[in-house]
Amino acid sequence: MNAMTAREPFGWYVVNALPNQEARAELNLRQQGFRAWLPAFQRTRRHARKVETVSAPLFPGYLFVQLDVAKQAWACINSTYGIRRLICRHDLPARLPDGFVDGLRAEVEGGLFVAPEDRLAVGDAIRVTEGPFADCVGRLLSFASQDRVTLLLTLLSREVSIVMPKHAVAAVV
């Protein structure tokens, strides 16, 4: 077997967590000596007139664990607090393609995934995704405040500047 076809003994695998237990599962896996990773992103949560930014799992109900299936006792993962099961195929953990987690990590900044709406820049073509102006296309004029943007839309044959929540717009691809 040459260097091009040799596989690293350690690979990344998917763990299915119990509902809202992803962080607990990651902590418990780490305490058992496993290398675990829970990709997350920042999202804005509104509740009872309170707005806060919280970390949320990028893949709700799932996280990744790195294993050497031939040498590590991996069956204990299925009885770890916060975990439903290690995803398996034919009674063996189902290994992710090499480079998958590394590629995903490359998209993560500071440990948190940057959501596409956070990659907007002044002058970008945008589409309104919700509200009374849904599906209107315009330009991003400025970032009005922490969670709001100013847009320039063409409505009724004239250009109108409006301010709306940043989560209600997306870049036109």
Side-chain angles (χ1 to χ4, degrees):
M1 192 179 327
N2 65 30
M4 294 297 284
T5 60
R7 286 183 99 178
E8 288 286 324
F10 282 92
W12 285 99
Y13 299 85
V14 179
V15 175
N16 182 215
L18 293 170
N20 301 311
Q21 295 288 310
E22 299 91 353
R24 180 181 191 191
E26 180 186 31
L27 176 66
N28 288 328
L29 285 171
R30 288 175 187 263
Q31 287 176 340
Q32 293 178 61
F34 293 106
R35 183 174 177 205
W37 182 53
L38 174 60
F41 71 102
Q42 292 286 341
R43 73 176 183 88
T44 302
R45 179 171 63 186
R46 291 170 179 75
H47 181 70
R49 288 185 254 156
K50 184 178 178 184
V51 177
E52 60 186 349
T53 301
V54 296
S55 177
L58 186 59
F59 305 108
Y62 296 92
L63 63 146
F64 303 103
V65 64
Q66 191 176 44
L67 303 170
D68 181 347
V69 175
K71 294 182 181 174
Q72 285 182 291
W74 53 267
C76 63
I77 290 174
N78 289 328
S79 59
T80 299
Y81 287 115
I83 292 177
R84 180 175 288 143
R85 69 181 174 277
L86 178 63
I87 304 298
C88 293
R89 182 179 306 132
H90 306 295
D91 296 329
L92 287 174
R95 184 176 176 149
L96 289 168
D98 290 339
F100 176 82
V101 171
D102 292 333
L104 189 57
R105 280 183 181 256
E107 291 293 320
V108 173
E109 296 176 4
L112 294 170
F113 179 77
V114 177
E117 64 270 12
D118 290 339
R119 296 182 185 157
L120 296 174
V122 173
D124 284 353
I126 55 89
R127 176 181 310 281
V128 179
T129 58
E130 59 186 71
F133 300 107
D135 295 326
C136 288
V137 177
R139 293 258 171 238
L140 180 61
L141 289 180
S142 67
F143 293 92
S145 67
Q146 184 178 3
D147 281 333
R148 301 182 74 72
V149 292
T150 304
L151 311 174
L152 184 63
L153 299 176
T154 302
L155 300 170
L156 302 172
S157 300
R158 65 183 270 233
E159 291 184 328
V160 178
S161 173
I162 62 168
V163 177
M164 66 180 357
K166 186 165 69 170
H167 68 83
V169 301
V172 174
V173 189

